[in-house]
Amino acid sequence: MFNRLNELISKVNADYADLRYEKKIVTSISFRTREIDNLSKNSTDGFVLRVLKNGGFATVAFNNIDDADFAINNAVTNAELYSEKTTKKVKFAPAPVVKDEFIPEQIEDPRNISFEEKLELMKKYNEILLKPEKVIATDLGYAELFRDKWFVNTEGSEIHEELLTTRLGGSITSSYGSQNQDLRIKAGGSNGFQNVRNLEKYMEGRAKLVVELLDAESVKGGTYDCIIDPTLTGVFTHEAFGHFSEADITENSPSLREKMKIGTKLGNGIVNITDNATIPNQLGHYKYDDEGVAVRKTVLMKNGVLTGRLHSRKTAHEFGEPISGHMIAEDYRYAPIVRMGTIFIEPTENTKDELFKTLGNGLYLCEGKGGQTMGENFTFGASYGYIVENGKIKKMVKDLNISGNLYNTLADISMIGSDFELSKVGGCGKGQTNLRSCYGGPHILIKNLVVGGK
Amino acid sequence: MEKLLNQIKDKFEQSEVFFSSSEDVSVTIANGKLDAIESNKESGYSVRTFHKGVAGFAYSNKISDTKPILESLDISLIGKVEGNVDLPDPADLPDLNTYNSQIEKVSSDSINDICEDLYKFIKNNVDAEITTSGWKSVTEKRLLNSKGVDYSGKSSSSGLYASIDYPGGGGSLNKVFKSKSTPEYCEKEISKLINMYKTGLNIVKPEGGKMKVLFMPNTVFSLIWRLYAAAKADAVDQGVSVLKEKIGDKIFSEKITIYNDPLNDEFPGAQAFDGEGVVNKRNYIVENGVFRSFYGDLKFCKKIGIEPTGGSARGSWRGQPSSSMSAMYVEPGEHSLEELIAMMDKGIIIFGVLGAHSGNIPNGDLSIGINPCFYVENGEIKGRVKDSMLAGNVYDIMKNVLAVGNKSESGYMVTSPPILLDNINIAIKQ
């Protein structure tokens, strides 16, 4: 494969070029209440070519080898146009030449499990979810995504990396009278099929919870002090802070670059935030990014002060900061962009009980239900929560969406717990979907969160 | 395609082959600097089969070799996926104007030039951080089935986008111009955006509570999303639709009419046939506030006992068709934007929403961050409001429509005019 790719890239008349060939195999099984809705296994492939010439940069994605000459001409012509028109030439920060293969270990390789066995397991889970009378519908899907990536560049790098993601997701809906209530299902990982086995208790818990939520009251909209659980800490860290750590977000905004300057104090002094996709056996694990740079642990915030940033080779040069290996593409359809790998708030020594005691009165919010960022503003949903009075968990509440401002909220984190959990299912949608986007942390206490009720 | 259809059509009661190809170019100028030129060219095809109530599905980008797709098709049949579907017979297609050969000739160079023009026009009128981008897209598709359908279509579109950012990540005001010809923008519309931006440099902090809210066209999707989920035949079949017994009931204000119309070739994206070969038509979902119809693909229309509605989406050759309203419109009313604002004694104008995908969508609930948004008092915009949220249930708040704007804009999910609502709950951090 490397010979074939090197032969193609040798035709590119430029200062630098890289070419990624990727084969993607997607296996899907899904249930829609009691019916099998989909069962398929399909294989596709394609290429992404990136060209740097005279400080001009262009990319092209194509999925038919017969279009290779067209793609090369297109990318070179566009890079020349870029060079001619731009007021600022693109340069790449230097990166080591790498010749390597990375095939992460699968504890139980899903490719060795038969379709029939996977189908039976999903069927069993689906039946558990549908057991309570008030559960009226499920959408339960198993997906297995295999990315077989081959990367070469004109500097001499040759990297073969395989990424295999298993994912069990969907939703369950309960109903009573005119009211419907949904709840998400999330399981999976990057190191094998065992991540989706033995989930019977989890499924029972989901079915019980979605029925309980029918009776929960909607929270009254307003400003609350809140403890958020590790899944929400993850979503919060990703949405409220992480995106501003991606250098391509801040690169072209002088005012943002000023606000996010390394050394700026943004958070309370107790806040430490790290991105570390090098940790094995977690969802976000990879070795090389999609421009051939080894991912490295990046400390983004230390004691509330900005210390690092996530980079491409282009942005690392632009900022004069170290490369970090965070250029990720969804698949062969896309050129990579800067993405978080595995981002989390570092735990401290406080127990959960101490957090609740300090909170006194407020809300305990549980389970991330999606989030979004727009500039300094962010929002994220919680699947359910509880009223907390005098440090004690009281009645369940629902319809919880939280909105905030990055700069204020990081300063409002007043206490951080000692537990730690990372997400098992990703799905960040910054232009492309990153199914291995991983996030987490401990329970944390945040003051003055705006919570929208029903 | 014919070869593949011939290979499978004798083995199954019904079969279908779908092909699509696309070629896109986009150019982005960020803060006055050319930032990206990206191109994409791809093609592939998929097959669906139906036999004794069981469906098969597979896709591939290997056009010349049918072996991989036939192997995938065999795998898909293991699960006995329910597929009680009647593929359509051939019919006459309406003649739509969806393709303009001039768009094929649009170069990266010319897209860059118009993006630069747009950037300079804004920059000359306001000192702000500005992003402009432009694109063109040409797609072709063909659908064959074992009943003799052989439809093909070619479409083209282009577009321009402008975003004016508040400093330090304070959100942005943006405008999209979609076109059926070469990319172009309207100076008058951009000037309005610039004036609004300037007004928003003043930050105000009003009290929250119940007030009037004006949803600008690009934010109406956050309301419509709930209707979209509940009016889907799939949701009715699954028993999760709150509209399942509501045909003929008044669910929104009489000022609201919503329909799907893929045949409207005034805007880019019109299609004579849907992803399953059903001839498209206009389908009223809500007419003068009354719920008129569900929508669905062939499978779910049949399951809930309604005639095929058309409009099934097929994102690309990788995807199966699914119930969709890909050309949804809210019918315009009579009021200009200025008149709508004048009707607001106290309220919020919403230019952007966050988190519309969360909340209890099946129930019609929404709880969203609103940014950027502007505070209005006695018909006058006072300034921009930060850290605020809107909460409610779409079937309650869409009964409180005061007025609908007279000018539609094409946005995410729906083409809509601005909609003014009364008595909406807004939380603002103090």
Side-chain angles (χ1 to χ4, degrees):
Chain A
M1 179 56 70
F2 287 133
N3 288 343
R4 193 175 167 210
L5 297 181
N6 279 321
E7 191 185 324
L8 284 173
I9 209 168
S10 69
K11 296 180 184 174
V12 180
N13 175 20
D15 304 320
Y16 168 90
D18 62 40
L19 181 62
R20 174 165 51 91
Y21 167 76
E22 187 172 328
K23 186 174 179 182
K24 185 180 182 187
I25 302 175
V26 181
T27 303
S28 304
I29 300 172
S30 61
F31 277 86
R32 205 179 152 277
T33 310
R34 297 195 187 278
E35 289 168 14
I36 302 170
D37 190 44
N38 180 35
L39 189 147
S40 61
K41 181 182 180 183
N42 290 286
S43 172
T44 53
D45 61 356
F47 304 81
V48 177
L49 173 68
R50 307 189 319 150
V51 168
L52 184 58
K53 185 171 185 178
N54 301 329
F57 182 59
T59 68
V60 59
F62 58 105
N63 75 342
N64 186 338
I65 188 66
D66 295 339
D67 289 326
D69 287 340
F70 161 84
I72 289 167
N73 286 334
N74 181 297
V76 171
T77 304
N78 282 338
E80 288 169 349
L81 172 69
Y82 190 126
S83 171
E84 180 195 328
K85 300 280 185 179
T86 191
T87 51
K88 192 163 192 177
K89 304 284 186 192
V90 172
K91 284 187 181 164
F92 277 9
V97 172
V98 176
K99 290 184 191 289
D100 196 9
E101 180 170 71
F102 179 60
I103 300 177
E105 187 195 355
Q106 295 288 305
I107 293 172
E108 185 181 15
D109 194 326
R111 291 166 296 187
N112 298 333
I113 315 289
S114 71
F115 251 113
E116 287 79 1
E117 188 178 343
K118 288 170 184 165
L119 189 60
E120 275 310 305
L121 188 62
M122 294 310 120
K123 195 174 175 184
K124 183 162 81 172
Y125 292 156
N126 196 46
E127 288 302 324
I128 294 171
L129 292 172
L130 285 164
K131 217 168 180 181
E133 200 182 323
K134 288 179 182 169
V135 172
I136 58 164
T138 58
D139 280 295
L140 184 65
Y142 168 77
E144 194 179 295
L145 295 107
F146 176 53
R147 291 179 68 194
D148 184 17
K149 305 190 298 173
W150 301 76
F151 174 91
V152 299
N153 68 19
T154 49
E155 293 167 347
S157 285
E158 293 178 347
I159 302 167
H160 176 217
E161 179 159 348
E162 293 183 356
L163 296 176
L164 185 49
T165 313
T166 50
R167 176 187 174 95
L168 202 160
S171 65
I172 172 172
T173 307
S174 59
S175 181
Y176 186 71
S178 61
Q179 195 195 167
N180 289 335
Q181 180 64 50
D182 64 348
L183 186 67
R184 294 184 182 186
I185 312 286
K186 290 178 181 178
S190 65
N191 65 348
F193 194 74
Q194 76 287 346
N195 290 307
V196 297
R197 285 199 190 276
N198 305 314
L199 295 174
E200 290 82 359
K201 285 264 179 274
Y202 170 74
M203 297 297 171
E204 281 171 19
R206 297 276 91 186
K208 186 167 175 276
L209 182 57
V210 77
V211 172
E212 285 174 1
L213 275 167
L214 285 169
D215 294 327
E217 285 178 22
S218 295
V219 74
K220 188 170 178 284
T223 304
Y224 294 87
D225 294 345
C226 300
I227 290 173
I228 62 176
D229 76 0
T231 67
L232 276 163
T233 298
V235 176
F236 166 76
T237 310
H238 176 103
E239 297 292 350
F241 173 76
H243 282 302
F244 270 16
S245 291
E246 295 167 336
D248 57 351
I249 298 277
T250 50
E251 181 185 4
N252 294 307
S253 168
S255 62
L256 255 185
R257 283 178 72 154
E258 185 59 32
K259 277 201 162 186
M260 296 297 288
K261 205 187 262 182
I262 299 296
T264 303
K265 185 146 198 281
L266 271 192
N268 188 330
I270 58 173
V271 181
N272 298 310
I273 301 177
T274 299
D275 188 288
N276 190 1
T278 69
I279 302 168
N281 296 312
Q282 48 84 28
L283 178 69
H285 182 45
Y286 63 94
K287 188 167 182 184
Y288 299 101
D289 73 1
D290 289 324
E291 59 175 4
V293 176
V295 67
R296 57 181 72 171
K297 176 181 173 181
T298 309
V299 178
L300 301 169
M301 179 176 281
K302 189 79 184 166
N303 301 327
V305 175
L306 288 177
T307 52
R309 213 184 309 272
L310 308 178
H311 279 297
S312 65
R313 291 181 66 177
K314 174 175 175 261
T315 61
H317 176 270
E318 167 68 22
F319 282 78
E321 293 171 6
I323 52 172
S324 67
H326 284 87
M327 282 287 272
I328 302 294
E330 179 179 337
D331 57 31
Y332 60 80
R333 292 172 294 171
Y334 300 97
I337 54 175
V338 181
R339 311 297 294 250
M340 290 165 255
T342 301
I343 191 167
F344 50 84
I345 289 184
E346 304 264 9
T348 65
E349 72 289 349
N350 302 301
T351 66
K352 206 168 144 186
D353 283 348
E354 286 168 335
L355 260 71
F356 277 88
K357 205 172 163 189
T358 306
L359 170 67
N361 297 323
L363 295 174
Y364 175 37
L365 309 179
C366 304
E367 284 190 21
K369 198 180 179 185
Q372 194 178 351
T373 308
M374 187 185 289
E376 65 188 323
N377 299 284
F378 65 87
T379 180
F380 57 87
S383 294
Y384 61 98
Y386 299 90
I387 303 279
V388 178
E389 287 172 5
N390 298 318
K392 303 283 179 205
I393 291 177
K394 302 289 183 182
K395 66 180 178 185
M396 185 186 276
V397 286
K398 62 183 176 185
D399 299 321
L400 298 145
N401 259 8
I402 296 94
S403 182
N405 174 288
L406 157 72
Y407 306 115
N408 300 336
T409 311
L410 281 168
D412 283 340
I413 297 175
S414 60
M415 202 169 179
I416 296 174
S418 56
D419 55 340
F420 186 76
E421 202 179 302
L422 291 174
S423 60
K424 296 177 174 65
V425 169
C428 173
K430 178 190 166 189
Q432 320 161 17
T433 305
N434 182 7
L435 291 176
R436 289 167 74 106
S437 178
C438 185
Y439 40 73
H443 280 81
I444 62 173
L445 169 55
I446 310 177
K447 297 208 160 183
N448 299 316
L449 274 181
V450 178
V451 180
K454 189 172 177 178
Chain B
M1 288 179 74
E2 288 87 347
K3 181 184 160 195
L4 180 60
L5 187 63
N6 284 332
Q7 280 179 286
I8 57 175
K9 75 176 181 186
D10 293 336
K11 294 184 192 163
F12 305 97
E13 290 167 351
Q14 301 177 86
S15 44
E16 170 199 272
V17 182
F18 175 79
F19 167 85
S20 72
S21 66
S22 63
E23 197 173 333
D24 312 306
V25 181
S26 68
V27 176
T28 303
I29 293 180
N31 206 26
K33 177 173 77 76
L34 179 56
D35 186 54
I37 306 180
E38 297 179 321
S39 309
N40 186 301
K41 185 176 186 186
E42 70 150 32
S43 58
Y45 66 118
S46 56
V47 296
R48 290 199 303 163
T49 61
F50 302 94
H51 192 72
K52 295 183 176 169
V54 174
F57 172 69
Y59 59 84
S60 172
N61 60 322
K62 304 290 178 208
I63 302 289
S64 53
D65 182 6
T66 57
K67 197 177 163 202
I69 198 167
L70 292 175
E71 284 173 0
S72 292
L73 182 62
D74 283 343
I75 291 170
S76 77
L77 295 167
I78 296 171
K80 301 204 179 330
V81 174
E82 190 193 288
N84 195 4
V85 166
D86 299 319
L87 291 177
D89 292 310
D92 292 333
L93 292 178
D95 189 21
L96 301 181
N97 176 11
T98 62
Y99 174 69
N100 180 345
S101 61
Q102 291 304 310
I103 290 181
E104 297 251 28
K105 295 173 193 158
V106 171
S107 65
S108 309
D109 202 352
S110 62
I111 298 175
N112 177 71
D113 288 347
I114 185 94
C115 287
E116 264 186 17
D117 277 355
L118 179 54
Y119 171 80
K120 284 174 186 163
F121 179 79
I122 300 171
K123 194 71 182 175
N124 287 338
N125 286 285
V126 64
D127 183 20
E129 291 172 10
I130 299 152
T131 301
T132 59
S133 62
W135 65 91
K136 71 158 188 177
S137 174
V138 178
T139 62
E140 283 187 79
K141 61 183 180 177
R142 187 179 173 200
L143 189 141
L144 275 68
N145 76 23
S146 52
K147 290 189 168 175
V149 162
D150 183 355
Y151 298 151
S152 56
K154 190 169 185 178
S155 59
S156 57
S157 64
S158 71
L160 278 175
Y161 166 86
S163 162
I164 314 176
D165 300 344
Y166 287 107
S172 60
L173 291 181
N174 54 63
K175 198 87 186 167
V176 178
F177 299 95
K178 294 179 187 171
S179 171
K180 286 177 61 188
S181 62
T182 52
E184 56 189 4
Y185 63 91
C186 169
E187 285 189 3
K188 195 175 161 194
E189 292 297 319
I190 288 293
S191 297
K192 281 186 189 173
L193 194 73
I194 292 167
N195 289 337
M196 192 61 76
Y197 174 87
K198 287 176 179 171
T199 308
L201 290 171
N202 181 41
I203 305 292
V204 293
K205 196 165 261 194
E207 291 279 327
K210 299 256 183 184
M211 61 184 79
K212 292 184 175 65
V213 170
L214 179 61
F215 278 81
M216 293 301 284
N218 64 324
T219 64
V220 170
F221 80 93
S222 59
L223 301 167
I224 300 296
W225 197 322
R226 278 70 192 155
L227 173 73
Y228 190 92
K232 195 181 257 195
D234 314 35
V236 179
D237 173 59
Q238 229 175 354
V240 298
S241 171
V242 291
L243 297 176
K244 60 192 169 199
E245 308 289 344
K246 303 276 188 185
I247 293 280
D249 287 4
K250 191 174 176 205
I251 59 167
F252 292 161
S253 156
E254 66 280 355
K255 296 184 176 73
I256 296 293
T257 292
I258 299 168
Y259 56 87
N260 189 48
D261 189 6
L263 300 181
N264 183 355
D265 61 2
E266 188 187 338
F267 297 99
Q271 300 179 78
F273 61 96
D274 77 356
E276 304 183 276
V278 175
V279 179
N280 279 325
K281 61 184 178 185
R282 180 181 283 201
N283 184 29
Y284 279 90
I285 306 300
V286 175
E287 193 173 14
N288 301 324
V290 176
F291 182 53
R292 289 291 181 212
S293 172
F294 300 107
Y295 68 93
D297 59 16
L298 287 170
K299 177 177 168 181
F300 288 105
C301 281
K302 187 172 182 178
K303 286 185 89 159
I304 69 166
I306 62 172
E307 287 296 308
T309 58
S312 292
R314 202 156 191 164
S316 81
W317 48 273
R318 292 176 195 83
Q320 297 199 55
S322 60
S323 303
S324 176
M325 288 194 282
S326 54
M328 202 167 21
Y329 296 87
V330 175
E331 204 157 81
E334 296 171 346
H335 300 278
S336 68
L337 179 61
E338 291 72 21
E339 287 169 349
L340 294 173
I341 294 169
M343 288 179 202
M344 300 171 73
D345 51 347
K346 178 187 173 187
I348 294 282
I349 308 174
I350 304 177
F351 280 85
V353 299
L354 293 92
H357 58 302
S358 52
N360 192 347
I361 291 175
N363 241 21
D365 297 335
L366 76 160
S367 182
I368 50 177
I370 48 178
N371 181 59
C373 62
F374 291 72
Y375 179 64
V376 178
E377 218 173 68
N378 299 323
E380 188 186 340
I381 302 173
K382 295 292 183 184
R384 186 161 53 102
V385 185
K386 297 173 91 170
D387 298 335
S388 42
M389 292 197 81
L390 178 152
N393 180 286
V394 75
Y395 301 106
D396 295 330
I397 66 180
M398 286 288 273
K399 288 193 174 79
N400 300 335
V401 177
L402 286 176
V404 178
N406 59 8
K407 188 165 182 292
S408 287
E409 286 180 33
S410 179
Y412 174 63
M413 196 179 272
V414 61
T415 299
S416 175
I419 300 176
L420 179 61
L421 302 161
D422 197 9
N423 210 28
I424 307 297
N425 198 19
I426 301 286
I428 300 169
K429 186 172 181 176
Q430 295 302 308

